[in-house]
Amino acid sequence: MNAARKALCLFPLLTLGASTAFPAVAEVSPRPNVVFVLVDDLGVGDLQKFPNIWNEFVRAGTGFDRFFVPNSWCCPSRASILRSQYVHSHGVLTNTAPEGGFERFHAKGLERSNIGVWMKNAGYRTALMGKYLNHYPGAAAPATHVPQGWDEWHVPVRRLYEEYGYTLNENGRLKAYGHAPEDYLTDVLSAKADAFVSKGDDPFFLYLAPVAPHLPANHAPRHAGAFAGHTAPRTPSFDQEDLSAEPRWLRGRKRLTPRRIEKIDEMYRDRLRAMLGVDDLVGSLVRALRAAGKLEDTYLFFGSDNGFHLGQHRLPQGKTTPFDESIRVPMYVRGPGIAPGRTIREVASSVDLAPTFAALAGARLPAFAEGRSLLPLLRGRTPASWRQNVLVEFHRPANPSSAAQTPVPPYRAMRTARHTFVRYATGEYQLYDLVADPYQLRNLAGKVPRSVIARFERQLDALAACSGASCRAADSVPPPAFTVPPPDPPPFDPPPPSPPSGPDGWESGPADTLWTGPAGGGL
């Protein structure tokens, strides 16, 4: 560690919800390096299967137990990360033009002010490697387009999800890669990331975005035999038995057939194999930082843009729903002054990431930012006005072919530490008590007094109308309290399972949708 860059910072490092105390003084650089590893479509769970991620993040860092995304679709979620804004504020509503995708982000001028620009203006050497925004660059910009704020830019412009046969925009020059084992995209990004963090002594910010485990979840040849026989987790919500109290879009879902479950398990194994490439990337990155003498002066963040269904609530695969399988994601942080093996239980959101990076760098945060820095929580302190809830918004694409990718109607939702409240454009509601019902099996919306729904709606309306600093006021209001109704008696004679919907009961479609098929999500 470079002694010229060191300063003593007093961190009140006491665990939240644990009795172990940590040293009160930690040696931390006033301008530390920041690395953000963002994977694609990874929900919570399974990290113990990846030794580097487990050891270098889960065991060596602090994790968030209640970390949520403001939209469970790739492009709106990533726009929120880049801008620290909820979806209604940045206006990138879906993955595709005209109301979403890279084209919308670019046309609205959002590239002029985001985390890359803020870190660059603070004197950081910056890089974005991997997935940027869906359909980049499309027809909105030349294939050589590099947004402002990034010193290094290594982003695929075609065949992103295939991980072979793609073309990279490498700092404004296009380079085609083939199908040899060494062309595997995650490995190529890993080598570029290692080189970036190893050179120079100036502080750097690396936004590293491999595409695993997004379908088709291609893996490196060396991982072809991994996880044989593994099956998707059979949680209580897997192939949920009773959907009678759910909104119409879900209530009509058929039970999973054996063939469909077999497909889910195959997909699960492919996703695990693809994540092994990310695990290798994490291990190599930490070794490169250690070899360069920079690991102790670097904050590393690991997270995902949204979760993914694998049979829960009868949903064979995909996202876009307000269930925790879609909106709750892993988030782990390690670095100087961060207690290892600790869990933070306060509610947090990916709109908080850019303010956290900016706080570490001493970067100026624009007034439009709606998140808040996670540093107090990471340093063992919960501010009195900390967030009580997060807003989740979902919009359907205007394009009929894109809208057909998901049956979920538009909705706004509020997730608190205890409750999920959802209001659909159809006029239907969902309300779950996560203490009594952690798997979201019992929709209480039709069982509580209408006054309870009205109180949740007022709070949700305030969140949906917020802008800039007013979001930090709207999200700090405690959620409504109510008495959970007693469980319903079991049905006397449950109906038989529905017949399959097709020849084998398996539905397919584009891969970046609720029901996925061979490719999709496209560039």
Side-chain angles (χ1 to χ4, degrees):
M1 224 168 357
N2 188 337
R5 297 174 57 211
K6 300 301 147 191
L8 286 178
C9 298
L10 298 179
F11 290 174
L13 290 179
L14 297 176
T15 59
L16 300 178
S19 60
T20 306
F22 293 87
V25 179
E27 190 178 22
V28 183
S29 166
R31 290 168 61 77
N33 306 312
V34 180
V35 174
F36 177 36
V37 179
L38 178 67
V39 296
D40 200 333
D41 287 5
L42 181 69
V44 297
D46 287 330
L47 292 187
Q48 73 280 4
K49 293 179 169 62
F50 313 114
N52 290 308
I53 295 172
W54 184 260
N55 290 321
E56 303 296 353
F57 278 105
V58 180
R59 296 183 63 184
T62 287
F64 287 81
D65 187 50
R66 297 184 177 104
F67 199 91
F68 303 96
V69 296
N71 182 288
S72 57
W73 225 349
C74 298
C75 199
S77 177
R78 288 170 186 255
S80 290
I81 291 171
L82 289 165
R83 294 270 297 180
S84 182
Q85 288 181 300
Y86 289 108
V87 176
H88 69 268
S89 292
H90 62 62
V92 181
L93 305 182
T94 71
N95 281 348
T96 55
E99 75 286 333
F102 167 75
E103 181 175 312
R104 177 75 166 175
F105 194 87
H106 182 70
K108 288 174 64 68
L110 305 187
E111 290 181 301
R112 293 195 292 269
S113 184
N114 56 63
I115 188 58
V117 175
W118 309 336
M119 298 295 275
K120 177 68 175 174
N121 289 344
Y124 272 61
R125 182 166 54 93
T126 61
L128 194 152
M129 302 180 182
K131 181 176 178 178
Y132 178 38
L133 295 169
N134 294 65
H135 300 282
Y136 163 83
T144 55
H145 171 70
V146 177
Q148 64 190 85
W150 302 101
D151 293 307
E152 291 205 26
W153 183 261
H154 301 278
V155 175
V157 297
R158 59 181 297 271
R159 295 179 63 88
L160 166 68
Y161 299 117
E162 299 301 314
E163 299 230 33
Y164 289 104
Y166 55 90
T167 299
L168 278 186
N169 176 349
E170 299 185 342
N171 299 322
R173 300 182 64 180
L174 302 182
K175 181 178 178 179
Y177 286 78
H179 294 80
E182 60 269 20
D183 291 325
Y184 185 60
L185 176 58
T186 301
D187 292 346
V188 171
L189 296 176
S190 178
K192 291 181 180 296
D194 292 352
F196 176 81
V197 303
S198 298
K199 66 184 181 183
D201 191 44
D202 48 347
F204 60 78
F205 171 60
L206 171 61
Y207 183 122
L208 181 57
V211 298
H214 192 292
L215 296 180
N218 289 323
H219 53 77
R222 63 184 179 275
H223 298 138
F227 300 112
H230 280 61
T231 59
R234 303 302 200 254
T235 64
S237 60
F238 187 88
D239 193 21
Q240 185 174 337
E241 181 177 350
D242 183 10
L243 296 176
S244 59
E246 297 298 338
R248 185 173 58 180
W249 74 266
L250 184 61
R251 194 167 60 242
R253 296 298 307 168
K254 301 180 186 301
R255 297 297 298 269
L256 302 176
T257 65
R259 174 59 177 158
R260 182 169 292 181
I261 292 173
E262 181 182 338
K263 290 281 189 180
I264 292 171
D265 290 337
E266 290 174 3
M267 185 192 325
Y268 177 66
R269 290 189 287 271
D270 284 340
R271 285 166 51 85
L272 293 179
R273 292 171 186 135
M275 277 300 299
L276 285 177
V278 177
D279 192 62
D280 290 343
L281 175 149
V282 167
S284 182
L285 181 64
V286 171
R287 288 192 296 272
L289 286 165
R290 184 177 287 116
K294 299 180 179 183
L295 182 60
E296 295 179 5
D297 199 21
T298 300
Y299 288 89
L300 295 100
F301 294 72
F302 177 87
S304 176
D305 59 354
N306 50 254
F308 198 78
H309 281 272
L310 285 164
Q312 302 91 349
H313 311 290
R314 299 191 196 174
L315 303 176
Q317 58 200 69
K319 46 217 179 183
T320 74
T321 82
F323 288 109
D324 272 12
E325 287 83 9
S326 273
I327 67 171
R328 182 170 168 242
V329 295
M331 175 52 58
Y332 290 89
V333 187
R334 64 169 289 173
I338 304 295
R342 179 167 148 255
T343 299
I344 294 172
R345 304 199 183 280
E346 277 69 24
V347 175
S349 169
S350 53
V351 297
D352 301 328
L353 291 171
T356 306
F357 304 153
L360 287 170
R364 182 180 178 183
L365 201 65
F368 66 69
E370 295 170 348
R372 55 186 77 205
S373 171
L374 300 170
L375 289 187
L377 300 182
L378 290 168
R379 293 172 178 173
R381 181 175 60 87
T382 303
S385 60
W386 188 257
R387 170 187 288 109
Q388 298 294 305
N389 49 65
V390 295
L391 173 67
V392 182
E393 300 168 285
F394 175 68
H395 301 260
R396 286 176 64 84
N399 185 308
S401 62
S402 298
Q405 295 173 355
T406 171
V408 185
Y411 64 80
R412 284 194 167 112
M414 183 175 75
R415 179 61 158 86
T416 76
R418 177 164 183 165
H419 303 112
T420 299
F421 174 73
V422 189
R423 180 178 62 201
Y424 289 92
T426 60
E428 298 169 291
Y429 299 91
Q430 289 171 306
L431 175 63
Y432 301 97
D433 183 289
L434 280 300
V435 172
D437 179 24
Y439 293 96
Q440 298 171 298
L441 301 175
R442 186 174 181 238
N443 182 11
L444 302 176
K447 303 179 183 301
V448 299
R450 186 62 181 84
S451 59
V452 172
I453 300 297
R455 292 200 301 272
F456 272 103
E457 283 201 279
R458 285 193 294 270
Q459 210 164 332
L460 180 61
D461 287 339
L463 283 169
C466 77
S467 177
S470 70
C471 293
R472 295 186 289 278
D475 71 16
S476 62
V477 178
F482 65 93
T483 301
V484 178
D488 297 328
F492 176 73
D493 186 15
S498 302
S501 59
D504 60 359
W506 180 247
E507 297 181 27
S508 62
D512 205 24
T513 68
L514 189 65
W515 330 122
T516 63
L523 294 173

